Amino acid sequence: MSHDHTPTVAPTYSIPVGPLHVALEEPMYFKIDVEGETVKHVGINAGHAHRGIEYLTTKRTIYQNVVLTERICSLCSNSHPQTFAMAAEKIAGIEVPERGIYLRVVADELKRIASHIFNVALLVHLTGYETYFMHMMQVREICQDTLESVFGNRQDIGAMCIGGVRYDVDEKSIAYILAQLARIEPEVRDFIKTFKSNGTILRRTKDVGVLTHANAITCGVVGPVARGSGIDYDVRREATYAAYDRLPLMVHTQTDGDVWSRAMVRLEETITSIDLVRVCLRDLPGGDAHIHDRPDIPPGQAIARTEAPRGEVFYYLRTNESAQPERVKWRVPTYMNWDALRFMLQDAKVADIAIIVNSIDPCLSCTER
Amino acid sequence: MSRLPKDLEARIAAVAPSGVDFSTETDALGVTTVWLGLGNHAELRPVADLILELGGRLAMITCTQPSAPEEEEEDEDEDNEDGEAKEPEPKEVAKSFGGTPLDGTSYEIDYHFDIAGDAVTVVAFVPHGGAIASLTPLFRNADWHEREMMELYAINVTDHPDPSRLFLDASIDNAVLERLIPFSTLVNAASTKDLWDRIAANKKGAA
């Protein structure tokens, strides 16, 4: 009697993840070659949310583009019009009033708080810790309420304009924002404690999806993905703008480059953002929040950069004699961060794919425009 | 208080013998922005090599087709009508730094680098139908920028390791930013009737 001893070799096959997938929020298509449960090769197929917005910007006037750029993406919706406006201001030599630049920081940091908590909450959701996910989203809701109360909108807050901001705060709204921040801060401190101690979260995020410091430099990644791999770079400090040179900005880094490190950078940055808003509202200069005319933007070209929640946003603007820009080009942080996934997913377990993809805080509508 | 090396211009000039158009400005907060036009786009690689050596990070690549500078309006000679047709004078085409004709079809490619927080933009002018060397072997993240550039414009990037489509499907012709694509065509419905005709035709075919 003979037994058929087939050698037990892990089968090699390809699995599609996306473009529509329960664990991905956005339509990216990964072609993943696996050996058993282990990822061996990652193919990235993009283009499912390509809308031709770069072309559209050349058909709108420069002032209309402040509105259009805000609609590229919802989570960093404030960073796009701000960076675009900064480029236009550079070409036209417009100086934003002091109060305006402080209010720009307030809007930007409030959006960052909402964005960071949202991403880390989704990570917790993907680890299967649903009650804590719901709790975190409830805390993020305090921030969303604040945005809605101060700006009139939860996502596209319409705060930016060329030459300043379109909103202003008074004593009552300052007191309200400070009270809301006082509610959020202890909760975020609790999130940090939980992330350092909770076994469910630690087991799913520590040493998972590692991007080494060297690979982070090779990929040119930015934002919390870079800082999680020990790259000490933040546009707010390195290429400072608005009022950041006068604010107590702390740049947080981690060294392990895993999913946990990137989440921890985001949580610590949330605390820093809360501090920045407080200092801005305390030191808020009087006067105008924006310039009072609508100057023509002369022919020229300029670049501008800001630190969006996901990292460096880079704008190029070229104008000519007409009211429409000749070329607008921008690059969002996620553009490079996708490629870094190839390193993070190498030899990862299939079950961790969604967690690792989420850890770059991907933004597809920004990437493809 | 620029963080760039003081001799940056000289070091660039040493690797780009065809000349560089160097300009620099530092804003009130101390952030320096450098614009660096190349006299010859073939010298992009040695310049990029130097920037890599200086610890530069590639932040973005912008490709544009600068419009031709507007012609000065000439006074029409009215008494020309009954005379013989004048020979059209050869038009003087404006040229970029380095001599690429700015006729509305040539390309300007801006390579935006970051060196320790300061921005250095290297500008290469490429005539229509021309080619530029890939920077992907030096800067891995040039990959997507160059692939996107190749689908938006009729420009060739030589030695790109993977010149496949990035966002657009392979069935779509490249250089989409160089031609007018009516919105109705873009969304696959040249007119409401056309769309229904096509559906009706498909239905017949299936029956």
Side-chain angles (χ1 to χ4, degrees), chain B residues 36 78 192:
Chain B
L36 206 159
E78 290 197 5
T192 315

Side-chain angles (χ1 to χ4, degrees), chain A residues 233 238 305 331 335 339, chain B residues 3 59 63 114 117 140 148:
Chain A
Y233 188 100
E238 255 64 42
R305 289 177 283 171
R331 192 272 301 137
Y335 199 85
D339 179 46
Chain B
R3 290 154 286 190
C63 187
D114 172 286
R140 183 185 164 99
E148 189 175 353

Side-chain angles (χ1 to χ4, degrees), chain A residues 30-298:
Chain A
F30 300 97
K31 281 185 266 188
I32 296 183
D33 296 335
V34 294
E35 226 174 76
E37 278 288 308
T38 309
V39 175
K40 284 297 162 194
H41 180 260
V42 180
I44 299 179
N45 188 330
H48 303 88
H50 187 271
R51 291 148 296 158
I53 302 184
E54 250 176 40
Y55 178 78
L56 199 56
T57 55
T58 61
K59 304 293 158 199
R60 300 273 190 276
T61 69
I62 292 165
Y63 283 90
Q64 286 173 327
N65 275 321
V66 176
V67 179
L68 176 61
T69 50
E70 180 147 15
R71 278 141 185 85
I72 295 163
C73 163
S74 66
L75 282 162
C76 34
S77 60
N78 194 59
S79 304
H80 284 280
Q82 180 177 3
T83 322
F84 176 76
M86 282 164 60
E89 286 155 6
K90 209 185 266 182
I91 292 175
I94 298 169
E95 260 195 48
V96 179
E98 278 289 288
R99 189 177 178 85
I101 65 171
Y102 273 81
L103 288 174
R104 278 190 174 178
V105 174
V106 171
D108 229 15
E109 296 306 322
L110 286 174
K111 284 290 288 183
R112 191 184 318 275
I113 296 167
S115 179
H116 278 354
I117 300 179
F118 183 64
N119 173 255
V120 181
L122 280 176
L123 169 63
V124 174
H125 160 65
L126 292 170
T127 63
Y129 193 175
E130 293 302 321
T131 44
Y132 206 64
F133 157 66
M134 284 184 251
H135 171 63
M136 290 186 84
M137 288 301 280
Q138 197 64 41
V139 174
R140 187 218 184 212
E141 205 53 29
I142 303 173
C143 194
Q144 293 300 95
D145 280 348
T146 316
L147 292 171
E148 188 172 357
S149 308
V150 176
F151 302 97
N153 261 327
R154 287 163 56 90
Q155 287 291 58
D156 291 353
I157 59 175
M160 296 295 155
C161 64
I162 293 175
V165 290
R166 300 201 309 164
Y167 78 104
D168 208 343
V169 290
D170 56 17
E171 268 177 37
K172 277 188 185 164
S173 48
I174 289 175
Y176 168 72
I177 296 171
L178 292 176
Q180 292 288 85
L181 293 179
R183 290 173 66 197
I184 298 171
E185 191 194 344
E187 300 283 1
V188 177
R189 292 200 185 277
D190 266 355
F191 297 161
I192 293 176
K193 267 188 216 157
T194 307
F195 259 75
K196 285 181 175 165
S197 59
N198 183 284
T200 308
I201 293 172
L202 288 171
R203 273 194 297 277
R204 293 301 307 275
T205 60
K206 274 275 184 190
D207 298 324
V208 171
V210 173
L211 180 69
T212 62
H213 185 256
N215 285 337
I217 291 174
T218 306
C219 293
V221 292
V222 291
V225 175
R227 292 191 284 277
S229 294
I231 296 180
D232 190 11
Y233 188 100
D234 189 312
V235 181
R236 292 174 292 175
R237 187 186 64 196
E238 255 64 42
T240 190
Y241 59 97
Y244 287 110
D245 60 319
R246 280 157 279 177
L247 297 171
L249 172 71
M250 279 177 67
V251 178
H252 302 278
T253 56
Q254 293 285 335
T255 50
D256 291 347
D258 53 7
V259 171
W260 185 88
S261 300
R262 293 188 274 279
M264 188 50 69
V265 166
R266 291 190 184 100
L267 290 175
E268 287 177 336
E269 283 183 11
T270 308
I271 297 287
T272 297
S273 292
I274 293 171
D275 288 342
L276 291 174
V277 174
R278 283 178 178 149
V279 173
C280 277
L281 294 176
R282 188 193 69 202
D283 298 345
L284 193 63
D288 294 327
H290 55 85
I291 56 170
H292 285 280
D293 56 349
R294 224 172 115 97
D296 287 337
I297 310 296

Side-chain angles (χ1 to χ4, degrees), chain A residues 297-352:
Chain A
I297 310 296
Q301 59 177 356
I303 54 159
R305 289 177 283 171
T306 61
E307 181 80 18
R310 288 158 189 73
E312 178 194 67
V313 169
F314 203 111
Y315 262 74
Y316 169 87
L317 171 63
R318 186 194 194 94
T319 53
N320 53 24
E321 300 288 348
S322 75
Q324 290 85 19
E326 189 170 303
R327 182 82 165 94
V328 189
K329 162 87 183 168
W330 60 95
R331 192 272 301 137
V332 298
T334 311
Y335 199 85
M336 294 82 64
N337 294 356
W338 287 116
D339 179 46
L341 281 175
R342 293 181 212 267
F343 291 104
M344 297 179 194
L345 288 170
Q346 187 64 42
D347 297 323
K349 294 282 169 240
V350 170
D352 290 333

